Amino acid sequence: MDAPTTTGFGAFVRDARELVVQPRMGFGPPRRMRRGLRATRDADATSVGTLTLDSYTRVGDLAAARRAVTEGTDLNGYPLLTHGPAATRRMLRGIGGPGFPVQVRHGSAAPQDIVRGLLAAGLHATEGGPVSYCLPYSRTPLAEAVHHWTRACELLAEARGPGPEPHLESFGGCMMGQLCPPGLLVALSLLEGMFFVRHGLRSISLSYAQQTDPVQDEEAVRALRALAAELLPGVDWHIVVYTYMGVYPRTPSGARALQDRAVALAVRAGARRLIVKTTVEARRIPTVAENVAALETSARTARALPRPDRAAADDGRDTQVYAEARALVEAVLCLGPDIGRGLLTAFGRGWLDVPYCLHPDNAGRSAGFIDERGRLGWSSVGAMPIGHVVTPRPAAALTSSGLLDALHYVETRLDLGELAGTGAHREPAPAGS
């Protein structure tokens, strides 16, 4: 493997001296998108830009995107393919560059045209994956998504030249947002990362979404780092933590407490980048000013935290999360060197099985629950080959009301102030047991 890249999205994050923070941001009009990116760049934080695409572009309905742009209809993101590469280059001029890389985020199971469009616009970083942008978001058969993402990876790799190194982030650690035990999230993120490398990428990031328990989350991020170090030698990789992706606290104090916990998780566990949320997530789409305020608050919080002991941050192997993730990854790797084919076989056999995911190619025999300590556990593992490291608790299977309680677990407790700190406080009462 070649030496680590010196330019591009991955290199910027790797070389940053503090936690890199990133907003969730996308606007339809180029001028408004430019204002949002400029404000992100100028925030008192080490930040990277986000260009989130609209839902029409995500599903390939370019006629609807064109109609919306022509009629001046507000979109929920930036219509990259409709505006075209020239307009996007103008929008980015003087903003995007080595000191402020911009990542395209989209949600597509078939991203080849999006990848071609972002490369034509002079961009080199995006995210997703054959599993993580298929099972939760579409009815696209998994085999088709693997095919589409194979070509997308190849397009990115083929764009390698004297400029920025192409970068691809796995969304695998964010499957379904919540109620998926971390061992499976870590495994999916690793497997997608290995899929990217198998198809030519040399700069990648691996994701993990904050869940219900701070201690378990730290175990997960450290397990992800440990497995990446073992399985991705010579690859330029980093870990990105997502602030909680589930039902969000409605009170400003609850939302701030949850964001503080996400910052503490990223810093303590050695992640390099954090996807930030605002205090208004539960009520509406945040403004640019609210996004900037969240970035700056998160950066200040991170700067105030002590840097963890490197050896402690690297110690992620002696945990339940690591054991589960390792078993799942090894099961897929034993199916052969083609990671894409391995993923298809594993899902077909139920060796990978995402709780509460209704996609036809997901077995749907696994289930998670929140235990009396606030940790995510398995009430059923289905056919997943983790029975030797997991003791499922069938009696904890969620009823319909228990599922609703579990979905609102974090929101309810943070809004009530029961988890207001950033430490490892645990709740005495299980959700839905």
Side-chain angles (χ1 to χ4, degrees), residues 362-392:
N362 188 65
R365 295 173 57 194
S366 72
F369 74 105
I370 303 173
D371 72 12
E372 59 276 2
R373 299 174 296 169
R375 295 170 67 100
L376 286 167
W378 295 103
S379 59
S380 171
V381 298
M384 289 190 292
I386 55 176
H388 60 297
V389 295
V390 173
T391 302

Side-chain angles (χ1 to χ4, degrees), residues 212 257 261 409-410 413-414 417-422 425-427:
T212 57
R261 288 173 65 187
Y409 178 89
V410 169
R413 283 153 181 78
L414 282 169
E418 296 177 23
L419 293 176
T422 59
H425 179 73
R426 301 187 190 274
E427 290 303 299

Side-chain angles (χ1 to χ4, degrees), residues 14-58:
R14 184 193 68 231
D15 295 339
R17 295 185 177 182
E18 63 180 9
L19 181 68
V20 176
V21 290
Q22 181 175 4
R24 301 159 70 243
M25 181 182 292
F27 305 108
R31 288 184 180 179
R32 191 178 175 197
M33 190 71 248
R34 180 177 174 84
R35 287 196 298 270
L37 289 172
R38 183 192 292 119
T40 301
R41 181 199 63 185
D42 294 342
D44 181 17
T46 301
S47 59
V48 291
T50 303
L51 203 160
T52 301
L53 305 193
D54 67 287
S55 55
Y56 290 133
T57 301
R58 173 172 67 85

Side-chain angles (χ1 to χ4, degrees), residues 335-424:
L335 296 171
D338 187 329
I339 302 294
R341 185 176 297 277
L343 287 168
L344 294 175
T345 301
F347 274 99
R349 296 180 180 179
W351 289 7
L352 295 174
D353 187 357
V354 181
Y356 313 110
C357 174
L358 301 180
H359 191 282
D361 289 329
N362 188 65
R365 295 173 57 194
S366 72
F369 74 105
I370 303 173
D371 72 12
E372 59 276 2
R373 299 174 296 169
R375 295 170 67 100
L376 286 167
W378 295 103
S379 59
S380 171
V381 298
M384 289 190 292
I386 55 176
H388 60 297
V389 295
V390 173
T391 302
R393 288 171 54 179
L398 298 176
T399 62
S400 57
S401 62
L403 177 60
L404 286 174
D405 288 343
L407 292 173
H408 289 271
Y409 178 89
V410 169
E411 175 211 19
T412 300
R413 283 153 181 78
L414 282 169
D415 279 342
L416 291 174
E418 296 177 23
L419 293 176
T422 59

Side-chain angles (χ1 to χ4, degrees), residues 67-260:
R67 210 162 39 244
V69 170
T70 301
E71 296 172 358
T73 303
D74 196 20
L75 289 169
N76 63 348
Y78 183 80
L80 175 75
L81 302 184
T82 300
H83 288 320
T88 300
R89 283 180 179 271
R90 287 193 299 272
M91 185 268 290
L92 292 168
R93 189 173 299 145
I95 296 178
F100 182 67
V102 175
Q103 182 191 46
V104 174
R105 307 183 70 87
H106 53 85
S108 177
Q112 303 96 306
D113 288 341
I114 290 171
V115 170
R116 292 188 184 96
L118 69 89
L119 291 171
L123 295 163
H124 297 83
T126 188
E127 48 82 56
V131 175
S132 58
Y133 267 9
C134 175
L135 266 61
Y137 295 136
S138 77
R139 305 291 284 183
T140 302
L142 185 58
E144 291 184 17
V146 167
H147 171 74
H148 294 320
W149 273 93
T150 296
R151 185 56 187 141
C153 290
E154 292 168 349
L155 287 168
L156 281 167
E158 290 164 5
R160 182 176 297 115
E165 179 74 17
H167 182 88
L168 187 52
E169 171 193 324
S170 167
F171 194 70
C174 308
M175 290 289 299
M176 302 302 291
Q178 54 189 328
L179 297 186
C180 183
L184 180 57
L185 297 178
V186 170
L188 289 172
S189 196
L190 251 299
L191 288 165
E192 285 197 335
M194 296 178 73
F195 175 91
F196 299 160
V197 173
R198 172 76 166 74
H199 293 291
L201 274 298
R202 300 190 301 202
S203 178
I204 66 170
S205 44
L206 307 170
S207 64
Y208 178 76
Q210 176 188 24
Q211 299 293 318
T212 57
D213 180 72
V215 173
Q216 189 180 40
D217 284 340
E218 283 193 53
E219 292 174 5
V221 175
R222 289 174 177 169
L224 183 54
R225 289 182 58 200
L227 285 165
E230 295 169 21
L231 300 173
L232 296 169
V235 178
D236 179 29
W237 59 267
H238 70 265
I239 305 301
V240 52
V241 165
Y242 282 64
T243 302
Y244 190 63
M245 299 283 283
V247 180
Y248 216 71
R250 300 187 65 84
T251 64
S253 61
R256 282 193 297 269
L258 187 53
Q259 184 63 57
D260 285 347

